[in-house]
Amino acid sequence: MRSVAFATAAVAALLSPVFADVDPIIIKGNKFFYKSNGTEFFMRGIAYQQEFNNNGSSTTTGDNKYTDPLADVNACKRDIPLLAQLKTNTIRTYAIDPTLNHDECMRLLQDAGIYVVSDLSQPGVSINRDTPSWDIPLFNRYSAVVDAMSKYNNVIGFFAGNEVANNISNTNSMPFVKAAVRDMKAYIKQKNYRPMYVGYAANDDKDIRVPLADYLDCGDISTTIEFWGYNIYSWCGKSTFKESGFDERTKDLAGYNIPAFFAEYGCNQVQPRLFDEVQALYGPDMTSVWSGGIVYMYFQEANNYGLVSISGNSVSQLPDFTSLSSQLAKATPSSVSADAYQPTNTAARSCPPSGTAWNASPSLPPSPNKGLCSCMVSGLGCVAASNLNADDTATLFGQVCGYNNGAYCVGIAKDGATGKYGAYSMCENIDKLSFAINAYYKAQGGSAQSCDFGGKAKVQSAAAASTCSALVSQAGPAGTGTVSVGAQGGAAATSTARKTGAGATTGVQRVEVGLLQISMYGFVAVLTAFCMIIL
């Protein structure tokens, strides 16, 4: 038996791709370094993702469709030599499909010395600034991307959000982003993966850019970002370090204790783009604070930001390509070795006070936990029917949460401004609805009529496992307690999973769910359907 097991392991080792040839990028202080030789790493990046494509690596979620750029081998073979010609060492991808195979593209990128920073979300499965949430479907999506990319040493890290808050009015979304950062950092550590970093990409809003950078860097280190990305388009045509505002943005982050880089740059108000800002970005005025940047973008599309135009397998270099190539060839940033570098800016920022100029609580939503949600549902006497569609679910939420001033929904409510979150606010919608329906049912004395809702709910025999008592007791009868367990993904307890496939996928289960935002002060149900990927 031992020889069979050894032979099986040996075969598996031979068949499994090994992606350990490239030197990983690590963080020390506010700088990136190559792990082995300690050379400072400055991003010379390109955003690399087409918006729409109907080839086999496209994934559709409801009305949302995206193309996974790291699963299209022919495109990678076509484009990576051109990226290398630009001396690119980093690409940013905005959505990858974790069920597809990325081995060949990642190998080609590795061979070209190109690293990847990827967003964790996908269209329709992201933290929505208007109805923010951090729940099991989002955790499943984000952790699946981490799993899919963990074997590649040329992955630097991930964006937990991109411009989620873009003005003062929606800064209440940021506790949910910070919760995602917390749980993805913990997940990477729990899975014993090599260091992969979790950060955020912010927009250039004058009112929130500084408090936002402070907020994501303040508090317990387990909740803080590990790098700061900045989407900035203020240098247009012929400009200067001062006229563009680059000088002020550099002052804003002076003393920041983590790496910062331009997650997007390249204003196109003047065309063709000159990319004069490259010399400033990699020059002595900025390299003490900024670790390079990522030009938006490779593909020419309707927004007219492309470096190349694509027609089938044919690629035409645009004037922007030539300009950028010339500017990057002249960029020679001064650097320091990891051994010689001793960070002096080690202190985290102070959390911004919550008020009219910033409306995000330092208190964060609970970690998504499938076990807790399953325990809760199994102990209910009245649950939502498992075959509800999105419209039915939204209608029932509005109905039940409208009763008794929202008293039946406090256990599933969430409010990033006040920092008040129900213990079950991270569950899937079908399970949250069951909690609310059951609360109403109990308040009506448990009559069968109060658990009908036009046939959209049903009575069940409560049968929670003995192991559930500790979890459920922490949450409390109204769901307003704090549960001291970590994140755990999985399917909804009362939903029906089905097998699906996308392109060259392996079989995974997906559950049709939605996103719910219920304010602590005005319980309003808002539903957006999407697919959840289950590990």
Side-chain angles (χ1 to χ4, degrees), residues 91-267:
I91 62 170
R92 177 182 179 180
T93 58
Y94 293 85
I96 68 133
D97 185 339
T99 68
L100 300 182
N101 189 296
H102 305 101
D103 290 353
E104 186 62 23
C105 282
M106 292 301 291
R107 171 68 73 180
L108 291 168
L109 289 166
Q110 175 180 292
D111 292 345
I114 298 174
Y115 294 79
V116 175
V117 181
S118 186
D119 290 47
L120 290 171
S121 62
Q122 70 177 61
V125 188
S126 63
I127 299 172
N128 186 313
R129 66 172 65 101
D130 298 319
T131 57
S133 184
W134 176 239
D135 54 24
I136 287 173
L138 286 169
F139 177 85
N140 286 341
R141 160 69 196 180
Y142 287 24
S143 60
V145 173
V146 170
D147 288 337
M149 304 304 287
S150 63
K151 63 180 175 180
Y152 308 116
N153 272 9
N154 56 331
V155 173
I156 296 173
F158 310 97
F159 291 108
N162 178 69
E163 300 187 2
V164 178
N166 62 1
N167 60 58
I168 293 173
S169 70
N170 49 42
T171 54
N172 64 316
S173 62
M174 293 315 298
F176 301 91
V177 173
K178 201 164 182 177
V181 171
R182 173 198 65 200
D183 291 341
M184 288 302 100
K185 288 173 64 175
Y187 184 78
I188 290 168
K189 183 177 181 179
Q190 172 199 333
K191 298 283 284 189
N192 201 29
Y193 291 145
R194 66 167 182 83
M196 293 182 292
Y197 304 102
V198 184
Y200 180 77
N203 74 318
D204 184 26
D205 182 87
K206 64 182 179 61
D207 295 319
I208 68 170
R209 56 194 171 206
V210 172
L212 180 54
D214 293 347
Y215 181 80
L216 291 175
D217 187 49
C218 75
D220 192 293
I221 193 172
S222 66
T223 70
T224 59
I225 57 171
E226 295 170 292
F227 59 77
W228 170 259
Y230 198 39
N231 301 340
I232 181 168
Y233 293 87
S234 62
W235 187 308
C236 301
K238 283 288 185 182
S239 189
T240 67
F241 179 58
K242 185 174 183 178
E243 290 175 1
S244 65
F246 279 23
D247 60 336
E248 294 300 323
R249 303 294 76 76
T250 301
K251 291 177 184 176
D252 289 342
L253 292 183
Y256 212 43
N257 64 328
I258 58 174
F261 56 91
F262 286 1
E264 290 177 3
Y265 75 96
C267 171

Side-chain angles (χ1 to χ4, degrees), residues 400-485:
V400 179
C401 293
Y403 293 148
N404 197 18
N405 296 318
Y408 308 126
C409 293
V410 292
I412 59 173
K414 50 189 181 289
D415 192 325
T418 64
K420 296 180 180 179
Y421 312 97
Y424 302 115
S425 61
M426 52 71 195
C427 296
E428 290 199 45
N429 281 343
I430 191 69
D431 294 346
K432 288 187 286 190
L433 181 58
S434 290
F435 176 85
I437 287 174
N438 186 74
Y440 171 80
Y441 169 74
K442 290 197 300 180
Q444 307 309 309
S447 67
Q449 183 178 358
S450 63
C451 185
D452 182 60
F453 290 94
K456 296 180 175 62
K458 61 182 181 180
V459 174
Q460 72 169 15
S461 298
S466 59
T467 53
C468 289
S469 59
L471 284 176
V472 174
S473 64
Q474 289 181 60
T480 54
T482 300
V483 181
S484 57
V485 291

Side-chain angles (χ1 to χ4, degrees), residues 491-503:
T494 57
S495 58
T496 303
R498 57 184 177 85
K499 293 270 187 169
T500 64

